[in-house]
């Protein structure tokens, strides 16, 4: 080194520099602490108010409190669709770092989570990150407490108790009342721009079918809000009773349906496929509207497994389909009252006789009757369901007149029913044929109506299709003397009889009396097609009906009159009303592929009708205290099974000479 | 009597004399800070001694006793151990690099049997001791402007790079700034300081953009604009500011801070404990804490200036620098003035390793006070001066 080292090596020089620099260091530290103190004052004193608000916003949260969904009641106040408490576990994706890890932790307390893991992961990935997803529902109280104890430790997991829809009658009302289910993207879009926050609530269920869908807005109610104190994980620490607005429960809806009749109806169908509709002929109140086989709507509330859904959907007898209003069938011989009324309208004398020899030759085709009935007039044609009679006369009335009468009576019509899903079916006319078979859309060009086709229409075959509801309305309009009653499902509270003052259809009462006579003979003459299966055994109360068997395949082409496969067998139909002397109820039963109406549909109709009659207070009085029997003139001419003789003298008039 | 006894060589070796010379006022200030820590840990633990407050008391008690014991150790031992301690720390850092355990995404821990340790914690102290010894032995001119300055510079940069590579940027920065502070107080030329400051200012953006890991860069960017992502990375900063700000002048009261009690405040018992202090004890409480920290720093710096040996001066100043940097960086971080780097508040925060490091350091500072009149030889053969 060139410099004189003695100066620079001086200890005091080192110390002096150090002292100056350490003073500087103290100063810098002081400056730093001073800056921190300044920032502290800025945050706590200057901006304190702002941060106090933010802190409160952190601490308090508003939670949507779902309203209890309105109940659906039957006409007597029995709860068809109600609510029950449900314990569930939810996951909020936004608050979870590792989903797998969280699910592992939950499945430690709830093993069932492990089983449904794939579905849960799919659900979570499909929903928005801040929307809670249900991972387990319907926990027992024990499981629920276990989760509650444990969930507080897992971020993003909540154990909650809320209400869930329950259908008390199993499958009896599945189609008409419908069911609620998880809201879909499509439902959400349908709600418009600003959907009710309630819709995003994980417990929310929207009506998907039937009454639940049609009256969803009324049943839903208005969500409440609850002010809660939460911690950083969103777990509730405390509730603030002052900041709470209670939810408005949904409205209850009372239906015209009668739970007992409905339940009995599903019961009598057993394994059979079909539907039954029972109406009050004066008011149009639907007491029973059942479609069989049915399904358990409760399955859809918590989410049906795709396997179970597939089974329901692919089952040959179509449990998911509403066969009461959403399926149409050829009416078969149940259509003959409409044909007969059109004959009368065309001026046909009801006493005109036609001889039935088992078939009818028209042009170069032979139309077969199901029996050899000999000489029959109109009433007996109905009683024996003789096809030959109708083949013979139908072209005098013409297909358009038949169709006009059928439409008047409600066939082929859509009614102003409260729920969706009606199918109109078809009652063909020459006009329809002209426009339908115009050679487009793969249909043959055949616009002309052939008189032979009228023969098929006259006996309810051919192009004709109707629904069970239409058949019930049709019989009601016959039974109430030609008034344009329309069906409805929602009970009008405080309604009086004048509310049900339906307009007359313009069919002369004497015409209607003739077909009613025919129907009465079907059920109450020993040789009527439904005599055996129409006996109510309710004293003097009788039923009048009409059977129908609708062909499904063309037997001529099949070469045999016996179908071996279920799906090829004939449909069995039966329409009826009761009591005969003062009609109140009308009903239609369709047994899909039920072979024959008299044998398979009529007994079902009888059983269902019996329940309805027994429940009617006025009719009940009649059964409990029957009026004193009048002096009997032509006693015991009625069939021996019939205990009472009240109606027998009347029907005596029409006993025809046996052919 | 005591002062005169200190100047006499035979007298000042006596342990009863040494005990009297321990700076008990300084010890009281440290205890007060730790005491506030216990109070707040009791509160954020749900008004309970478990799980943190009790352990904190126990740890501080043990460290306090250790500090007093260390204060009685002859400075020559500290000096003797300076280079070996530095060497071992450096070797451990290399070992961590090779076989270390990866925890929370960074390689910081070394497992020896069932005992795990963080060598970077030892390095904070041994770098100070090693630099103090080097400057003690170097000439005055060497400390100001000389090629020999490359030696202390290398001594600093080796551990800094190793720790930064783990990656633990907070600790690396702490070691770097401590080393630079020691170099500056040792008399570094202002021209070098100025050039380095300008160079550093220019280099930082490049460093952030090209050298940092993604998560580190994210933290820095979040710091610059915390409101951009209030539920993600900005969450910690925002919640901490809300906690402090909502405390107001007098605070919400112990156990009543909604931010700290309801877990909105992250790491409320460790890195962000100052926010809990601010929320529950208010401006007055938090300011008192800062005042106590400032007092501790000034008392330690005064001790440094009293020492007759250059080793003692620089060692005490270096330890104080580490301490002050902890306080300033954590304070700035908690109040949203610096990125979240994972530096705790010494003595206040719950946690063993930082408490141990800081208290061993203060043991050295106390030792400098007790042995302030001791003159240490400059030569390598100073060991011959031991009896």
């Amino acid at each position: 080194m060139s410099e004189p080292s003695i100066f620079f090596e001086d200890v005091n020089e080192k110390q002096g520099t150090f002292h100056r620099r350490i003073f500087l260091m103290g100063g810098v530290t002081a400056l730093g602490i001073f800056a921190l103190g300044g920032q502290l004052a800025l945050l706590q004193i200057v901006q304190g108010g702002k941060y106090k608000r933010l802190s409160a916003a952190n601490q308090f949260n508003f939670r949507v409190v779902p309203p209890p969904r309105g109940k659906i009641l039957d006409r007597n106040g029995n709860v068809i669709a109600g609510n029950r408490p449900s314990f569930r576990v939810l996951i909020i994706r936004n608050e979870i770092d590792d989903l797998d890890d969280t699910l592992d932790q939950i499945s430690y307390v709830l093993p069932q989570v492990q089983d449904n893991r794939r579905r849960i992961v799919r659900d979570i990935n499909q929903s928005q990150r801040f929307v809670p997803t249900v991972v387990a529902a319907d926990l027992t109280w024990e499981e629920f407490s276990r989760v509650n104890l444990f969930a507080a430790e897992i971020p993003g997991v909540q154990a909650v108790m809320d209400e869930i829809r329950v259908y008390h009658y199993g499958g009896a009302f599945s189609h008409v009342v419908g069911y609620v289910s998880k809201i879909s993207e499509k439902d959400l879009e349908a709600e418009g721009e600003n959907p009710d926050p309630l819709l995003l609530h994980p417990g929310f269920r929207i009506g998907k079918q039937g009454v639940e869908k049609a009256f969803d807005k009324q049943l839903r109610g208005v969500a409440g809000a609850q002010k809660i104190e939460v911690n950083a994980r969103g777990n509730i620490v405390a509730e603030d009773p002052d900041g709470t607005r209670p939810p408005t429960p949904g409205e209850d809806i009372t239906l015209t349906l009668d739970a007992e009749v409905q339940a009995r109806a599903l019961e009598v169908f057993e394994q059979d496929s079909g539907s039954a509709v029972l109406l009050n002929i004066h008011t149009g109140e639907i007491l029973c509207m059942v479609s069989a086989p049915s399904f358990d709507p409760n399955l859809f509330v918590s989410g049906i497994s795709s396997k179970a859904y597939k089974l329901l959907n692919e089952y040959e007898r179509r449990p998911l389909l509403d066969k009461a209003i959403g399926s149409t069938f050829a009416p078969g011989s149940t259509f003959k009252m409409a044909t007969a009324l059109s004959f009368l309208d065309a001026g046909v004398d009801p006493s005109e006789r036609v001889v039935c020899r088992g078939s009818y030759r028209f042009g170069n085709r032979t139309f077969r009757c199901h029996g050899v009935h000999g000489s029959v007039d109109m009433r007996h044609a109905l009683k024996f369901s003789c096809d030959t009679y109708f083949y013979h006369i139908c072209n005098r009335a013409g297909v358009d007149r038949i169709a006009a009468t059928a439409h008047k009576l409600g066939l082929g019509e859509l009614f102003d029913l409260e729920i969706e899903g009606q199918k109109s079916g078809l009652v063909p006319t020459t006009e329809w044929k002209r426009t339908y078979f115009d050679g487009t859309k793969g249909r043959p060009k055949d616009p002309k109506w052939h008189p032979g086709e009228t023969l098929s229409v006259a006996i309810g075959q051919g192009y004709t299709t109707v629904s069970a509801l239409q058949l019930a309305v049709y019989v009601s309009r016959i039974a109430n003397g030609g008034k344009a009653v329309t069906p409805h499902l929602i009970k009008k509270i405080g309604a009086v009889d004048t509310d049900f003052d339906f307009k007359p259809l313009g069919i002369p009462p004497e015409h209607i009396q003739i077909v009613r006579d025919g129907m009465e003979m079907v059920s109450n003459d020993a040789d009527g097609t439904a005599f055996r299966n129409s006996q109510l055994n309710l004293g003097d109360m009788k039923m009048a009906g009409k059977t129908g068997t609708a062909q499904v395949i063309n037997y001529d082409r099949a070469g045999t009159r016996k179908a071996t496969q279920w799906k090829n067998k004939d449909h069995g139909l039966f329409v009826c009303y009761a009591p005969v002397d003062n009609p109140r109820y009308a009903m239609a039963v369709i047994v899909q592929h039920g072979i024959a109406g008299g044998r398979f549909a009529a007994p079902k109709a009888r059983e269902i009708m019996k329940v309805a009659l027994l429940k009617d207070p006025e009719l009940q009085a009649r059964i409990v205290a029957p009026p004193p029997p009048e002096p009997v003139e032509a006693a015991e001419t009625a069939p021996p099974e019939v205990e009472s003789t009240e109606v027998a003298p009347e029907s005596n008039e029409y006993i025809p000479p046996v052919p | 009597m005591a002062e005169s006894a200190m100047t006499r060589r035979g007298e000042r070796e006596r342990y009863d004399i040494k005990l009297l010379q321990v700076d008990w006022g300084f010890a009281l200030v440290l205890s007060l800070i730790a005491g506030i820590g216990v109070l707040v840990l009791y509160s954020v633990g749900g008004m309970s001694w478990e799980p943190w407050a009790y352990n904190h008391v126990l740890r501080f008690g043990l460290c306090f006793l250790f500090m007093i014991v260390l204060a009685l150790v002859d400075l020559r031992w500290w000096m003797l151990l300076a280079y070996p301690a530095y060497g071992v720390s450096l070797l451990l850092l290399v070992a961590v690099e090779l076989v270390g355990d990866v925890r929370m995404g960074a390689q910081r821990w070394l497992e020896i049997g069932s005992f795990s340790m963080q060598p970077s914690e030892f390095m904070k102290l041994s770098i100070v001791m090693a630099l103090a010894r080097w400057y003690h032995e170097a000439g005055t001119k060497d400390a100001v402007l000389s090629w020999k300055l490359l030696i202390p510079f290398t001594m600093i940069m080796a551990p800094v790079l190793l720790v930064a590579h783990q990656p633990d940027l907070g600790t690396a920065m702490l070691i770097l700034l401590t080393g630079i502070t020691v170099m500056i107080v040792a008399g570094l030329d202002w021209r070098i300081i100025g050039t380095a400051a300008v160079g550093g200012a220019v280099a930082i953006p490049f460093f952030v953009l090209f050298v940092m890991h993604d998560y580190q860069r994210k933290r820095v960017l979040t710091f610059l604009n915390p409101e951009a992502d209030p539920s993600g990375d900005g969450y910690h900063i925002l919640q901490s500011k809300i906690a402090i700000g909502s405390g107001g002048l007098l605070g919400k009261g112990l156990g009543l801070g909604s931010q700290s009690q309801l877990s909105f405040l992250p790491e409320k018992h460790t890195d962000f404990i100052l926010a809990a202090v601010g929320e529950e004890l208010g401006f007055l409480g938090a300011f008192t804490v800062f005042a106590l920290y400032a007092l501790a720093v000034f008392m330690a710096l005064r001790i440094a200036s009293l020492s007759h040996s250059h080793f003692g001066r620089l060692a005490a100043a270096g330890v104080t620098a580490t301490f002050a940097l902890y306080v300033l960086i954590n304070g700035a971080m908690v109040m949203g003035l610096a990125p979240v780097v994972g530096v705790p508040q010494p003595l206040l925060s719950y946690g063993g390793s930082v408490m141990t490091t800081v208290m061993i350091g203060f043991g050295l500072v106390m030792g400098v006070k007790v042995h302030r009149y001791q003159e240490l030889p400059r030569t390598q053969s100073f060991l011959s001066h031991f009896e």
Side-chain angles (χ1 to χ4, degrees):
Chain A
M1 282 178 205
S2 52
E3 284 103 333
S5 58
I6 191 144
F7 177 74
F8 289 100
E9 301 280 328
D10 189 356
V11 171
N12 288 331
E13 176 63 23
K14 255 182 176 176
Q15 194 181 3
T17 310
F18 179 78
H19 278 170
R20 286 196 299 278
R21 296 277 170 102
I22 205 93
F23 192 75
L24 194 72
M25 182 182 156
V28 170
T29 311
L31 208 70
I33 298 276
F34 192 73
L36 292 185
Q39 171 76 354
L40 199 65
L42 179 73
L43 289 177
Q44 298 199 292
I45 296 170
V46 181
Q47 302 177 335
K50 167 186 156 193
Y51 285 113
K52 276 203 178 81
R53 277 197 303 281
L54 284 174
S55 152
N58 260 349
Q59 189 182 357
F60 294 106
N61 221 329
F62 281 94
R63 193 175 58 164
V64 169
V65 183
R69 192 172 172 88
K71 292 198 276 286
I72 298 177
L73 310 167
D74 86 336
R75 61 185 300 114
N76 301 314
N78 296 314
V79 179
I80 299 168
N83 304 307
R84 65 174 169 82
S86 162
F87 301 117
R88 301 182 305 154
V89 177
L90 311 175
I91 269 190
I92 304 165
R93 183 69 186 90
N94 220 15
E95 294 171 12
I96 293 173
D97 294 328
D98 185 348
L99 180 61
D100 272 336
D101 191 46
T102 306
L103 286 177
D104 283 344
Q105 289 185 59
I106 300 175
S107 38
Y108 189 73
V109 247
L110 291 175
Q112 63 261 49
V113 168
Q114 198 58 39
D115 306 334
N116 299 325
R117 196 161 174 144
R118 271 177 58 191
R119 179 190 66 80
I120 293 166
V121 171
R122 196 191 59 213
D123 280 1
I124 290 172
N125 290 337
Q126 278 173 359
S127 60
Q128 286 163 293
R129 284 178 70 87
F130 60 89
V131 174
T133 312
V134 180
V135 290
D138 283 333
L139 304 182
T140 62
W141 172 247
E142 203 174 303
E143 286 171 320
F144 181 67
S145 359
R146 214 160 33 166
V147 174
N148 230 339
L149 206 66
F150 191 64
E153 303 299 317
I154 316 174
V157 176
Q158 291 179 1
V160 295
M161 191 203 90
D162 46 22
E163 288 194 321
I164 193 166
R165 198 67 157 165
V166 61
Y167 299 98
H168 296 292
Y169 288 88
F173 293 93
S174 305
H175 303 93
V176 52
V177 165
Y179 54 85
V180 293
S181 185
K182 220 153 82 180
I183 188 160
S184 69
E185 288 291 323
K186 243 166 86 185
D187 297 329
L188 207 55
E189 274 169 33
E191 290 285 327
E193 278 293 296
N194 285 310
D196 190 340
L198 178 61
L199 302 189
L200 296 176
H201 191 275
F204 181 76
R205 294 285 183 274
I206 196 164
K208 293 277 190 181
Q209 200 185 318
V211 175
E212 290 273 29
K213 183 179 183 184
F215 293 89
D216 192 65
K217 286 263 159 61
Q218 288 96 308
L219 289 165
R220 203 186 279 172
V222 181
Q226 192 176 31
K227 192 178 178 190
I228 47 169
E229 188 178 359
V230 295
N231 66 12
R233 289 170 188 154
N235 292 330
I236 298 157
V237 182
E239 291 177 5
D240 178 3
D242 297 332
T244 298
R245 188 179 46 141
T248 313
E251 289 169 37
D252 289 351
I253 287 184
T254 304
L255 303 180
T256 57
L257 295 170
D258 186 309
E260 277 179 55
V261 181
Q262 183 88 358
R264 180 71 181 136
L266 187 67
E267 203 175 277
V268 299
F269 265 94
E270 292 171 18
Q271 298 300 307
D272 288 335
S273 171
S275 55
V277 178
L278 192 147
L279 291 180
N280 181 318
I281 60 163
H282 301 299
T283 62
E285 287 178 338
I286 302 175
L287 269 80
C288 160
M289 185 152 87
V290 81
S291 172
S294 190
F295 58 91
D296 183 1
N298 293 304
L299 286 177
F300 287 83
V301 178
S302 43
I304 190 169
S305 73
S306 54
K307 198 172 147 200
Y309 184 81
K310 202 172 158 210
L311 282 173
L312 281 176
N313 198 33
E314 290 178 358
Y315 181 42
E316 191 179 33
R317 305 194 177 188
R318 309 292 301 277
L320 296 177
L321 191 69
D322 184 356
K323 300 182 189 93
I325 60 173
S327 292
T328 55
F329 306 87
S333 305
T334 59
F335 189 79
K336 284 173 183 162
M337 280 83 82
T339 316
L341 283 170
S342 71
F343 290 177
L344 292 168
D345 188 45
V348 174
D349 177 3
S351 57
E352 179 182 337
R353 288 182 172 271
V354 168
V355 177
C356 168
R357 293 198 174 80
S359 64
Y360 177 73
R361 183 108 189 134
F362 186 82
N364 53 4
R365 234 189 106 184
T366 303
F367 287 80
R368 304 184 58 163
C369 184
H370 59 89
V372 182
H373 299 112
S375 166
V376 290
D377 65 1
M378 186 178 282
R379 292 185 178 87
H380 289 87
L382 285 171
K383 169 178 165 183
F384 299 124
S385 199
C386 176
D387 294 339
T388 310
Y389 175 85
F390 293 95
Y391 293 149
H392 199 91
I393 301 179
C394 64
N395 275 314
R396 277 199 259 159
V399 69
D400 288 337
R401 194 189 292 273
I402 295 174
T405 311
H407 274 287
K408 249 188 213 174
L409 292 165
L411 299 176
E413 293 283 317
L414 287 178
F415 304 105
D416 192 11
L417 197 66
E418 290 90 342
I419 61 172
E420 293 173 18
Q422 283 185 78
K423 280 242 175 74
S424 66
L426 176 74
V427 181
T429 59
T430 51
E431 174 65 17
W432 168 82
K433 175 132 198 222
R434 197 172 57 72
T435 53
Y436 189 80
F437 287 103
D438 56 357
T440 60
K441 294 176 197 155
R443 294 187 287 250
K445 190 166 174 67
D446 185 16
K448 188 181 175 298
W449 185 271
H450 308 289
E453 289 172 330
T454 312
L455 271 64
S456 295
V457 171
I459 60 159
Q461 294 280 164
Y463 306 115
T464 321
T465 55
V466 298
S467 71
L469 178 68
Q470 286 170 358
L471 283 176
V473 172
Y474 155 75
V475 182
S476 299
R477 289 180 177 181
I478 292 171
N480 68 14
K483 289 213 181 101
V485 65
T486 53
H488 61 97
L489 263 176
I490 307 302
K491 191 150 173 70
K492 295 191 173 76
I493 307 291
V496 289
D497 282 351
T498 51
D499 293 348
F500 305 112
D501 196 9
F502 296 103
K503 278 206 254 344
L505 294 164
I507 300 175
E510 57 275 20
H511 290 183
I512 288 185
Q513 190 54 49
I514 289 162
V515 294
R516 277 169 62 169
D517 289 345
M519 286 176 76
E520 204 178 323
M521 288 154 72
V522 167
S523 290
N524 296 307
D525 282 6
D527 52 356
T529 52
F531 170 75
R532 215 151 54 86
N533 290 313
S534 304
Q535 299 311 311
L536 289 169
N537 289 329
L538 290 178
D540 64 344
M541 254 190 281
K542 302 281 178 225
M543 187 163 93
K546 180 75 195 80
T547 58
T549 302
Q551 254 174 251
V552 172
I553 53 166
N554 189 329
Y555 291 119
D556 293 341
R557 219 166 288 154
T560 166
R561 284 207 64 88
K562 273 223 157 69
T564 46
Q565 275 180 300
W566 179 77
K567 67 176 166 81
N568 289 338
K569 289 180 178 169
D570 295 346
H571 295 314
L573 296 91
F574 189 70
V575 296
C576 60
Y577 65 89
V580 167
D581 49 358
N582 180 19
R584 255 188 117 76
Y585 300 110
M587 81 176 302
V589 171
I590 296 176
V591 182
Q592 213 181 354
H593 309 295
I595 305 170
R599 246 188 308 154
F600 295 93
K604 292 184 173 57
R606 180 191 63 208
E607 290 308 311
I608 300 165
M609 182 62 91
K610 234 166 131 167
V611 182
L613 293 172
L614 283 167
K615 284 204 76 179
D616 189 297
E618 283 174 40
L619 299 178
Q620 219 170 25
R622 239 175 95 176
I623 298 160
V624 173
E630 285 166 31
V632 181
E633 288 158 18
E636 307 313 319
T637 45
E641 286 95 330
V642 183
E643 290 162 20
S644 169
T645 53
E646 249 77 70
V647 285
E650 210 181 327
S651 54
N652 269 351
E653 288 175 42
Y654 308 117
I655 289 184
V658 178
Chain B
M1 193 279 294
E3 282 301 310
S4 59
M6 285 303 291
T7 54
R8 288 200 298 277
R9 189 165 273 177
E11 291 287 301
R12 69 185 183 210
E13 306 297 326
R14 279 168 50 195
Y15 284 106
D16 56 335
I17 298 292
K18 281 190 180 185
L19 265 179
L20 280 175
Q21 286 304 311
V22 168
D23 194 337
W24 293 106
F26 183 55
L28 178 68
V29 171
L30 299 182
S31 304
L32 281 176
I33 296 172
I36 293 177
V38 171
L39 203 64
V40 175
L41 287 173
Y42 178 79
S43 160
V44 298
M47 300 307 271
S48 153
W49 288 99
E50 296 292 335
W52 301 310
Y54 177 73
N55 278 346
H56 201 65
V57 171
L58 204 67
R59 252 180 219 158
F60 182 73
L62 288 173
C63 287
F64 189 87
L65 286 177
F66 194 40
M67 177 182 78
I68 300 299
V69 170
L70 288 178
L72 307 180
V73 174
D74 197 298
L75 278 189
R76 278 172 295 186
W77 283 106
W78 287 101
M79 199 157 152
L80 177 69
L81 287 172
Y83 284 153
Y86 177 79
V88 169
S89 299
L90 204 59
L91 279 177
L92 288 175
L93 280 178
V94 174
V96 160
E97 193 66 22
L98 298 177
V99 297
D101 195 16
V102 177
R103 286 192 199 172
M104 298 168 80
Q107 207 166 30
R108 297 177 191 174
W109 299 81
L110 201 59
E111 304 262 357
I112 300 171
S114 62
F115 178 74
S116 63
M117 57 184 230
Q118 248 178 310
S120 56
E121 218 43 65
F122 288 99
M123 188 46 96
K124 285 173 192 162
L125 261 183
S126 43
I127 183 73
V128 169
M129 286 159 64
L131 285 174
R133 178 165 176 185
W134 190 84
Y135 276 108
H136 182 83
E137 288 166 1
T140 310
K141 191 176 162 271
D142 296 339
V144 178
L145 185 63
S146 153
W147 63 269
K148 280 189 186 167
L149 283 177
L150 285 175
I151 296 168
F153 182 71
T154 312
M155 281 163 74
I156 296 167
M157 287 318 285
V160 166
L161 291 177
L162 281 171
V163 173
H165 190 251
Q166 285 177 355
D168 182 357
L169 274 191
T171 307
M173 202 167 70
L174 210 66
I175 295 172
L176 180 68
L177 291 175
T178 304
I180 289 171
T181 309
V182 173
M183 285 180 83
I184 291 172
V185 294
L188 189 65
D189 193 281
W190 281 112
R191 280 168 291 178
I192 300 182
I193 299 172
T195 314
V198 171
V202 173
I204 283 174
F206 285 94
F207 180 73
V208 169
L209 283 178
F210 301 114
V211 184
M212 276 191 174
H213 284 256
D214 275 347
Y215 80 93
Q216 293 168 335
R217 181 162 43 239
K218 218 168 147 194
R219 274 183 181 176
V220 173
L221 295 177
T222 301
F223 154 68
L224 294 174
N225 186 13
E227 275 79 11
D229 181 16
S231 64
D233 274 21
Y235 181 80
H236 288 193
I237 292 177
L238 195 65
Q239 293 302 335
S240 171
K241 281 168 88 172
I242 291 174
I244 295 174
S246 64
L249 184 65
L250 298 173
K252 296 175 182 172
L254 275 184
L256 300 175
S258 61
Q259 289 285 108
S260 11
Q261 301 290 336
L262 301 177
S263 310
F264 287 104
L265 191 61
E267 301 290 329
K268 60 191 174 195
H269 61 295
T270 57
D271 291 3
F272 283 88
I273 193 168
L274 202 59
V277 174
E279 186 183 23
E280 302 204 333
L281 302 177
F283 179 73
L284 289 184
F287 196 77
T288 306
V289 171
F290 280 134
L292 286 171
Y293 275 125
L295 191 59
V297 169
F298 293 134
M299 289 175 105
L301 288 181
R302 190 177 146 270
I303 290 170
S305 68
L306 285 178
S307 175
H308 281 204
S309 64
H310 206 51
F311 175 78
R313 283 178 205 130
L314 289 177
V319 169
T320 312
T322 309
F323 181 72
L325 284 166
Y326 265 126
V327 173
L328 292 175
I329 292 176
N330 179 274
M333 170 183 102
V334 166
M335 289 192 285
L337 294 173
V340 177
V341 281
V343 171
Q345 196 63 272
L347 303 181
L348 208 58
S349 291
Y350 182 79
S353 56
V354 174
M355 168 93 83
T356 314
T357 311
V358 167
M359 290 304 275
I360 291 174
F362 282 142
L364 174 54
V365 173
M366 289 284 202
V368 170
K369 164 87 187 335
V370 170
H371 303 96
R372 63 186 177 280
Y373 295 119
Q374 189 175 36
E375 299 198 6
L376 298 173
R378 256 196 61 212
T379 54
Q380 301 283 341
S381 56
F382 74 95
L383 280 178
S384 60
H385 289 266
F386 277 100
E387 276 87 2

